[in-house]
Structure formats: structure tokens, C-alpha cells
Amino acid sequence: METARSGRRTAAPGTCTAFARFVLCGGGVGVASSLAVAALAVLIPWGLANALITAVSTLLATELHARFTFGAGRHATWRQHTQSAGSAAATYAVTCAAMLVLHQLAAAPGAMLEQGVYLSASALAGVARFTALRLIVFARTTTTRPAQTTATMPTARAAAPATAAELCRAA
């Protein structure tokens, strides 16, 4: 990929490096999101709070992943945002299902248990999301250009003399 500032091609980070960056960026956004969902759920229904926070955090995380995690060094495209939103929708479904199961099993779970279940479900969905983002959304396509044929060019002549004395000698 070319970076916007230097015009140089940068190598895609290895899987381990990309995963570490994914955990740092996505995990940081995920932890902040879980706290935001809990805070917002006091004011509005939990499902709506989760949907709103998921939408905002997906936009933020997609930008971070485009610029840093997968080494593109530039803004995410609309296509990448759209594809990332699809994986976020699956994450939303997993977290909602986990919380629904928790509330079916425990009548009044504490905040720590809710956070633990939410973060565990997010982590499981995150591994699947990393795989989808790496292999589909931010996959680097390599285009092979046809080999350029070298046309036979006449050999370059010596540079023409520049001063009048050199021109007279050359004549």
C-alpha cells in the first residue's frame, strides 16, 4: 500500500503484529464501549444503548484498523466501512444473545457479571471479526503488471558542447 505522505509502499504487518494491534485498538474501543453501554443503558433500553454504541464504536474501530492495525496508513473506504459494519452486526447479535442468556439464567446479575459476560462475548466475536477483517475487508490485493518489454533504443550520444569554443572545436 502506498502511504499518503511518502508515496512509498508499506508491507502489510504479519498476522501476530496485526492481531496485537487489533487487540490494542479493538480491545480499547471495546472496553470503552462496554462502559458506555452500561452508562447509556441507565437512560435508555439496553438493546438500544448497545446498538448506538456499537455503531459509533464500529466507525471508530474501522478507522483505527485501516490506519494502524492492517497497515494501510489511510482512511477506510466506504466499502471497508460497509463490510466492517456487517461483522459488527454479527458482534452485536452475539453480545445481545449472551446478555439475553445471562438475564434468563440470573434474575438480577451484578454489574461485574454483566461486564464479564459482555466482554467475553465481545472477545469471542472479536476473534471472528479479526479473521474477517484481515482476510476480506482489509485484504491486500496484489495486481501483477505484465512484464515491460525493453525496446531496443539507440545508445545515447555524448552531451553536446555548451560553450562557443567547444562548439568551434566540435565543428
mmCIF file of all heavy atoms in Angstrom, residues 12 15 19 36 41 49 57 62-64 71 73 89-90 98 111-113 116 119 122-123 125 139 144 146 150 152:
data_model
loop_
_atom_site.group_PDB
_atom_site.id
_atom_site.type_symbol
_atom_site.label_atom_id
_atom_site.label_comp_id
_atom_site.label_asym_id
_atom_site.label_seq_id
_atom_site.Cartn_x
_atom_site.Cartn_y
_atom_site.Cartn_z
ATOM 1 N N ALA A 12 2.479 -5.173 4.504
ATOM 2 C CA ALA A 12 1.407 -5.490 5.446
ATOM 3 C C ALA A 12 2.030 -6.120 6.674
ATOM 4 O O ALA A 12 2.963 -6.907 6.578
ATOM 5 C CB ALA A 12 0.420 -6.464 4.809
ATOM 6 N N THR A 15 0.684 -11.539 10.756
ATOM 7 C CA THR A 15 -0.533 -11.899 11.469
ATOM 8 C C THR A 15 -0.430 -11.588 12.960
ATOM 9 O O THR A 15 -1.358 -11.022 13.545
ATOM 10 C CB THR A 15 -0.870 -13.384 11.259
ATOM 11 O OG1 THR A 15 -1.005 -13.625 9.858
ATOM 12 C CG2 THR A 15 -2.155 -13.772 11.960
ATOM 13 N N PHE A 19 -2.635 -8.874 14.807
ATOM 14 C CA PHE A 19 -3.527 -9.286 15.888
ATOM 15 C C PHE A 19 -3.258 -8.481 17.156
ATOM 16 O O PHE A 19 -4.196 -8.061 17.837
ATOM 17 C CB PHE A 19 -3.405 -10.785 16.173
ATOM 18 C CG PHE A 19 -4.437 -11.271 17.154
ATOM 19 C CD1 PHE A 19 -5.770 -11.380 16.766
ATOM 20 C CD2 PHE A 19 -4.104 -11.574 18.456
ATOM 21 C CE1 PHE A 19 -6.740 -11.810 17.671
ATOM 22 C CE2 PHE A 19 -5.057 -12.004 19.369
ATOM 23 C CZ PHE A 19 -6.383 -12.120 18.973
ATOM 24 N N ALA A 36 -19.535 2.531 28.104
ATOM 25 C CA ALA A 36 -20.517 3.463 27.546
ATOM 26 C C ALA A 36 -21.902 2.822 27.466
ATOM 27 O O ALA A 36 -22.913 3.478 27.737
ATOM 28 C CB ALA A 36 -20.070 3.942 26.168
ATOM 29 N N ALA A 41 -27.284 2.639 29.193
ATOM 30 C CA ALA A 41 -28.414 1.752 29.498
ATOM 31 C C ALA A 41 -29.210 2.222 30.714
ATOM 32 O O ALA A 41 -30.332 1.777 30.917
ATOM 33 C CB ALA A 41 -27.923 0.325 29.704
ATOM 34 N N ALA A 49 -29.121 1.011 23.611
ATOM 35 C CA ALA A 49 -27.813 1.539 24.009
ATOM 36 C C ALA A 49 -26.693 0.755 23.327
ATOM 37 O O ALA A 49 -25.744 1.336 22.798
ATOM 38 C CB ALA A 49 -27.657 1.473 25.531
ATOM 39 N N SER A 57 -18.786 2.867 17.829
ATOM 40 C CA SER A 57 -17.501 2.196 18.038
ATOM 41 C C SER A 57 -17.028 1.485 16.776
ATOM 42 O O SER A 57 -15.821 1.382 16.534
ATOM 43 C CB SER A 57 -17.579 1.226 19.211
ATOM 44 O OG SER A 57 -18.456 0.159 18.942
ATOM 45 N N THR A 62 -13.052 0.844 12.789
ATOM 46 C CA THR A 62 -12.720 0.629 11.381
ATOM 47 C C THR A 62 -11.648 1.615 10.928
ATOM 48 O O THR A 62 -10.719 1.243 10.213
ATOM 49 C CB THR A 62 -13.978 0.737 10.496
ATOM 50 O OG1 THR A 62 -14.920 -0.251 10.931
ATOM 51 C CG2 THR A 62 -13.654 0.500 9.025
ATOM 52 N N GLU A 63 -11.760 2.857 11.348
ATOM 53 C CA GLU A 63 -10.730 3.850 11.016
ATOM 54 C C GLU A 63 -9.390 3.460 11.634
ATOM 55 O O GLU A 63 -8.355 3.537 10.973
ATOM 56 C CB GLU A 63 -11.144 5.246 11.483
ATOM 57 C CG GLU A 63 -12.136 5.926 10.575
ATOM 58 C CD GLU A 63 -11.626 6.151 9.156
ATOM 59 O OE1 GLU A 63 -10.431 6.517 8.972
ATOM 60 O OE2 GLU A 63 -12.408 5.964 8.218
ATOM 61 N N LEU A 64 -9.409 3.064 12.892
ATOM 62 C CA LEU A 64 -8.164 2.648 13.540
ATOM 63 C C LEU A 64 -7.551 1.439 12.851
ATOM 64 O O LEU A 64 -6.339 1.386 12.627
ATOM 65 C CB LEU A 64 -8.413 2.333 15.022
ATOM 66 C CG LEU A 64 -8.685 3.525 15.932
ATOM 67 C CD1 LEU A 64 -9.114 3.042 17.317
ATOM 68 C CD2 LEU A 64 -7.464 4.420 16.034
ATOM 69 N N GLY A 71 -2.129 -1.772 8.525
ATOM 70 C CA GLY A 71 -1.048 -1.090 7.840
ATOM 71 C C GLY A 71 -1.387 -0.318 6.591
ATOM 72 O O GLY A 71 -0.508 -0.030 5.792
ATOM 73 N N GLY A 73 -2.487 2.794 6.474
ATOM 74 C CA GLY A 73 -1.991 4.146 6.673
ATOM 75 C C GLY A 73 -2.873 5.229 6.089
ATOM 76 O O GLY A 73 -2.412 6.332 5.837
ATOM 77 N N ALA A 89 -22.400 -6.138 13.001
ATOM 78 C CA ALA A 89 -23.778 -6.599 13.214
ATOM 79 C C ALA A 89 -23.772 -8.000 13.819
ATOM 80 O O ALA A 89 -24.571 -8.300 14.721
ATOM 81 C CB ALA A 89 -24.553 -6.588 11.904
ATOM 82 N N ALA A 90 -22.858 -8.840 13.361
ATOM 83 C CA ALA A 90 -22.736 -10.187 13.939
ATOM 84 C C ALA A 90 -22.271 -10.087 15.391
ATOM 85 O O ALA A 90 -22.779 -10.805 16.264
ATOM 86 C CB ALA A 90 -21.761 -11.020 13.117
ATOM 87 N N ALA A 98 -25.750 -13.182 24.295
ATOM 88 C CA ALA A 98 -25.077 -13.504 25.558
ATOM 89 C C ALA A 98 -25.771 -12.828 26.736
ATOM 90 O O ALA A 98 -25.983 -13.452 27.787
ATOM 91 C CB ALA A 98 -23.607 -13.085 25.497
ATOM 92 N N ALA A 111 -23.326 -5.890 38.150
ATOM 93 C CA ALA A 111 -22.643 -5.169 37.070
ATOM 94 C C ALA A 111 -21.358 -5.876 36.638
ATOM 95 O O ALA A 111 -21.036 -5.928 35.446
ATOM 96 C CB ALA A 111 -22.339 -3.740 37.495
ATOM 97 N N MET A 112 -20.634 -6.453 37.581
ATOM 98 C CA MET A 112 -19.388 -7.151 37.254
ATOM 99 C C MET A 112 -19.663 -8.390 36.405
ATOM 100 O O MET A 112 -18.939 -8.657 35.449
ATOM 101 C CB MET A 112 -18.621 -7.534 38.526
ATOM 102 C CG MET A 112 -18.052 -6.342 39.280
ATOM 103 S SD MET A 112 -16.890 -5.360 38.300
ATOM 104 C CE MET A 112 -15.517 -6.467 38.246
ATOM 105 N N LEU A 113 -20.703 -9.132 36.745
ATOM 106 C CA LEU A 113 -21.062 -10.314 35.968
ATOM 107 C C LEU A 113 -21.510 -9.902 34.566
ATOM 108 O O LEU A 113 -21.114 -10.513 33.567
ATOM 109 C CB LEU A 113 -22.152 -11.128 36.668
ATOM 110 C CG LEU A 113 -22.607 -12.402 35.944
ATOM 111 C CD1 LEU A 113 -21.432 -13.353 35.716
ATOM 112 C CD2 LEU A 113 -23.717 -13.078 36.733
ATOM 113 N N GLY A 116 -18.480 -8.981 32.630
ATOM 114 C CA GLY A 116 -17.722 -10.180 32.284
ATOM 115 C C GLY A 116 -18.331 -10.935 31.116
ATOM 116 O O GLY A 116 -17.625 -11.361 30.197
ATOM 117 N N LEU A 119 -17.985 -8.686 27.893
ATOM 118 C CA LEU A 119 -16.617 -8.657 27.367
ATOM 119 C C LEU A 119 -16.187 -10.017 26.829
ATOM 120 O O LEU A 119 -15.470 -10.095 25.829
ATOM 121 C CB LEU A 119 -15.648 -8.158 28.438
ATOM 122 C CG LEU A 119 -15.788 -6.682 28.787
ATOM 123 C CD1 LEU A 119 -14.865 -6.324 29.951
ATOM 124 C CD2 LEU A 119 -15.506 -5.795 27.586
ATOM 125 N N SER A 122 -17.845 -10.375 23.521
ATOM 126 C CA SER A 122 -17.152 -9.472 22.596
ATOM 127 C C SER A 122 -15.809 -10.040 22.165
ATOM 128 O O SER A 122 -15.412 -9.907 21.007
ATOM 129 C CB SER A 122 -16.944 -8.102 23.241
ATOM 130 O OG SER A 122 -18.176 -7.453 23.430
ATOM 131 N N ALA A 123 -15.105 -10.670 23.093
ATOM 132 C CA ALA A 123 -13.802 -11.256 22.767
ATOM 133 C C ALA A 123 -13.948 -12.409 21.770
ATOM 134 O O ALA A 123 -13.180 -12.500 20.801
ATOM 135 C CB ALA A 123 -13.105 -11.733 24.035
ATOM 136 N N ALA A 125 -16.429 -12.906 19.656
ATOM 137 C CA ALA A 125 -16.822 -12.324 18.379
ATOM 138 C C ALA A 125 -15.654 -11.554 17.771
ATOM 139 O O ALA A 125 -15.512 -11.489 16.540
ATOM 140 C CB ALA A 125 -18.019 -11.399 18.576
ATOM 141 N N ALA A 139 -7.954 -7.042 3.169
ATOM 142 C CA ALA A 139 -7.025 -7.896 2.425
ATOM 143 C C ALA A 139 -6.355 -7.060 1.351
ATOM 144 O O ALA A 139 -6.988 -6.228 0.697
ATOM 145 C CB ALA A 139 -7.778 -9.067 1.786
ATOM 146 N N THR A 144 -0.640 -8.047 -10.586
ATOM 147 C CA THR A 144 0.614 -8.255 -11.290
ATOM 148 C C THR A 144 0.544 -7.511 -12.605
ATOM 149 O O THR A 144 -0.406 -7.644 -13.364
ATOM 150 C CB THR A 144 0.859 -9.756 -11.545
ATOM 151 O OG1 THR A 144 -0.275 -10.292 -12.217
ATOM 152 C CG2 THR A 144 1.081 -10.497 -10.238
ATOM 153 N N PRO A 146 1.974 -6.762 -16.346
ATOM 154 C CA PRO A 146 2.717 -7.526 -17.337
ATOM 155 C C PRO A 146 4.152 -6.995 -17.420
ATOM 156 O O PRO A 146 4.392 -5.802 -17.252
ATOM 157 C CB PRO A 146 1.947 -7.295 -18.643
ATOM 158 C CG PRO A 146 1.083 -6.110 -18.383
ATOM 159 C CD PRO A 146 0.887 -6.015 -16.903
ATOM 160 N N THR A 150 11.632 -4.523 -23.219
ATOM 161 C CA THR A 150 12.619 -3.478 -23.408
ATOM 162 C C THR A 150 12.799 -3.274 -24.895
ATOM 163 O O THR A 150 13.260 -4.161 -25.594
ATOM 164 C CB THR A 150 13.965 -3.889 -22.788
ATOM 165 O OG1 THR A 150 13.733 -4.711 -21.670
ATOM 166 C CG2 THR A 150 14.746 -2.676 -22.358
ATOM 167 N N THR A 152 14.540 -1.824 -28.163
ATOM 168 C CA THR A 152 15.919 -1.511 -28.466
ATOM 169 C C THR A 152 16.010 -0.021 -28.719
ATOM 170 O O THR A 152 15.385 0.503 -29.640
ATOM 171 C CB THR A 152 16.391 -2.294 -29.709
ATOM 172 O OG1 THR A 152 16.124 -3.668 -29.476
ATOM 173 C CG2 THR A 152 17.843 -2.063 -29.975
#
